[in-house]
Amino acid sequence: MGLFISFEGGEGSGKSTQAKRLWERLRDAGCPALLVQEPGSTPLGWALRNLLKSHQGMAPSTELALFAAARAELVEKVIKPELTSGTVIVADRYLDSTVAYQGYGRRLPVELINTLNAFITQGLKPTRTFLLDLDSAEGLRRLGQAQLSLVQEGETRQSGRADQEGQRRFEEEPLAFHRRVRQGYLALAKAEPQRFVVLDASKPPEVLEEVIWKEVSTLLANASLRS
Ligand code: TYD
């Protein structure tokens, strides 16, 4: 079995950057690794991502069902088979996002989300989850600056983090929503301290990258000792 690592955090926390850096370092070290993004990373997942990020006025229960559908597809078609063949999976968001965003953010029942997550993932949880924790207002501020500079540089969505107009449904939620998401993540980390590594996302990306690499290197060394 390969290793399963996930990255979680609120908007503008830098988790996608860290997920990508880890994946690149694993590849550079000759380790078979796959970067997956949620929602996305399957044909159905990309289609659902588009709807989820842009469709206005969606009922919270619909939103939950669509995130669950995208994850079910990803687990079944990609994560499980790849892990079985020994690949290291680096996931940019996974099941904790739904607890934080739909549970704490949208205030849907967390018990129900846990049951749904357990069903669609068939109980598959990451070995380690890096939570990039950041003040919510600071995260949104960072995101605003990133969008602005990419737009000024004339970049498209494909080449950078900037989303097209109408694709920012979550970013545009009020600050109170993002604060609840952060509290949700911190509660999850507290409940499962052996799985979560909480990182102060206000630190420089290079510093965070080294902490993450050290932790993953140890996990890989332990895994190879066991096999
Ligand atoms: P994305 O552009 O990938 O944002 P980020 O870079 O912050 O991951 O958009 C994904 C959005 O979907 C993000 O705002 C968080 C939200 N989301 C949920 O609300 N629930 C979920 O289960 C997942 C996976 C994502």
Side-chain angles (χ1 to χ4, degrees):
M1 274 296 264
L3 192 62
F4 186 7
I5 309 289
S6 69
F7 283 82
E8 295 284 356
E11 311 299 318
S13 62
K15 101 200 128 37
S16 301
T17 304
Q18 292 301 334
K20 188 158 174 277
R21 287 196 184 177
L22 173 62
W23 171 68
E24 286 166 350
R25 284 183 84 150
L26 287 164
R27 299 286 295 257
D28 291 349
C31 188
L34 186 69
L35 179 65
V36 295
Q37 180 184 18
E38 271 215 42
S41 300
T42 64
L44 182 60
W46 293 124
L48 291 171
R49 177 185 180 84
N50 210 24
L51 277 175
L52 279 160
K53 290 191 64 156
S54 60
H55 190 90
Q56 298 298 328
M58 186 183 293
S61 51
T62 308
E63 186 179 286
L64 172 63
L66 295 185
F67 277 117
R71 181 163 311 127
E73 194 74 0
L74 183 64
V75 169
E76 199 63 55
K77 305 266 174 70
V78 180
I79 297 181
K80 282 218 156 182
E82 288 288 342
L83 280 176
T84 308
S85 61
T87 305
V88 177
I89 298 286
V90 179
D92 182 353
R93 296 196 182 281
Y94 187 55
L95 82 179
D96 303 302
S97 282
T98 315
V99 179
Y101 279 80
Q102 280 63 53
Y104 284 76
R106 297 271 188 245
R107 297 198 167 104
L108 293 177
V110 170
E111 289 245 318
L112 170 79
I113 295 172
N114 286 337
T115 306
L116 187 60
N117 265 336
F119 172 65
I120 59 180
T121 64
Q122 299 151 48
L124 180 68
K125 283 193 177 184
T127 311
R128 209 49 101 245
T129 297
F130 294 102
L131 171 58
L132 284 114
D133 178 52
L134 187 66
D135 173 70
S136 307
E138 171 60 15
L140 292 176
R141 198 185 59 78
R142 279 187 185 181
L143 211 60
Q145 283 180 352
Q147 298 278 5
L148 188 66
S149 58
L150 283 167
V151 168
Q152 280 168 348
E153 286 164 23
E155 298 227 2
T156 64
R157 182 163 166 261
Q158 278 71 29
S159 58
R161 175 61 184 79
D163 290 317
Q164 281 166 343
E165 273 302 321
Q167 288 265 332
R168 299 180 203 133
R169 208 164 63 81
F170 287 94
E171 287 93 325
E172 285 165 1
E173 286 292 332
L175 184 58
F177 173 89
H178 295 284
R179 289 202 165 124
R180 288 200 299 279
V181 169
R182 184 185 186 198
Q183 290 318 310
Y185 273 132
L186 291 173
L188 281 165
K190 205 171 165 203
E192 281 186 80
Q194 67 294 349
R195 174 161 71 89
F196 276 88
V197 175
V198 183
L199 299 168
D200 175 357
S202 67
K203 289 192 175 155
E206 305 74 39
V207 173
L208 295 167
E209 184 182 336
E210 285 315 311
V211 175
I212 293 164
W213 182 242
K214 213 170 152 210
E215 176 73 14
V216 173
S217 303
T218 308
L219 287 172
L220 282 170
N222 290 344
S224 68
L225 277 181
R226 276 202 304 272
S227 63

